[in-house]
Amino acid sequence: DIQMTQSPSSLSASLGDRVTITCRPSEVVSNYLNWYQQKPGKAPKLLIFRTSSLEGGVPSRFSASGSGTEFTLTISGLQPEDFATYFCQQNYELPHTFGQGTKLEFK
Amino acid sequence: QVQLQESGPGLVRPSETLSLTCTVSGGSVSAFYWSWLRQPPGKGLEWIGYIYHSGSSNYSPSLKSRLTMSIDTPKNQFSMTLTSVTAADTALYFCARNPKGAYDFWGPGMLVTVSS
């Protein structure tokens, strides 16, 4: 299985900040890398698919990039509703695997 | 707007079988792949498997020996059964659609507890 390692595991930030989360797959996943936001007790919400494509309805303050074995999710201008946990996921090969999550907390 | 809803018992006894159904509305199961995922309390997400409208399926290797998925296109539902459950199977179970490898619509999740 492809192991997905996210860093940091937690992050404190303030409204308006720009934050970056990194995801490192244990193997090359081409551009088959997706990002999700999850709030407590809720289902994950797809933010980004295929490394950098913004899912419909997701604000443009979310962006992502990467290749090979290093990918990043950036949130520019944090809003109150952005404080949540973020996961990366690869769909390069089965089984699909997820990162352990990055919890974004209010400073 | 596609909506998914998980249903089934919230409590299953050890060694018994866990059965869940996902009902889809606002879209048809006769297209795309339909998946199950789970999240143990306080932990990350685990892919369980998917089924296609044709009935073809693919399961997580770690669960394959205990897992069966099925799809009912007239009812617009798909289901999973997991046999011989243990406490390690306690989790929030999600059904989701994955048309492009990413999961774009999810059910709200159903907590299943394995306990005597």
Side-chain angles (χ1 to χ4, degrees), chain A residues 88 99-100 103:
Chain A
C88 59
Q100 81 281 11
K103 187 173 184 179

Side-chain angles (χ1 to χ4, degrees), chain A residues 34 36 38 43-44 46 55 87 89 91 94-96 98, chain B residues 37 39 45 47 50 58 94 100-104 106-107:
Chain A
N34 312 303
Y36 300 83
Q38 187 179 32
L46 178 63
E55 177 71 350
F87 294 94
Q89 173 242 332
N91 63 294
L94 293 174
H96 291 173
F98 292 80
Chain B
L37 305 98
Q39 186 173 35
L45 290 153
W47 178 77
Y50 70 66
N58 203 304
F94 296 101
K100 47 200 173 190
Y103 299 88
D104 61 352
W106 296 67

Side-chain angles (χ1 to χ4, degrees), chain A residues 71-103:
Chain A
F71 298 83
T72 58
L73 171 70
T74 298
I75 312 170
S76 300
L78 277 173
Q79 298 298 301
E81 59 269 28
D82 299 337
F83 293 92
T85 299
Y86 293 85
F87 294 94
C88 59
Q89 173 242 332
Q90 65 80 21
N91 63 294
Y92 180 71
E93 66 176 34
L94 293 174
H96 291 173
T97 48
F98 292 80
Q100 81 281 11
T102 294
K103 187 173 184 179

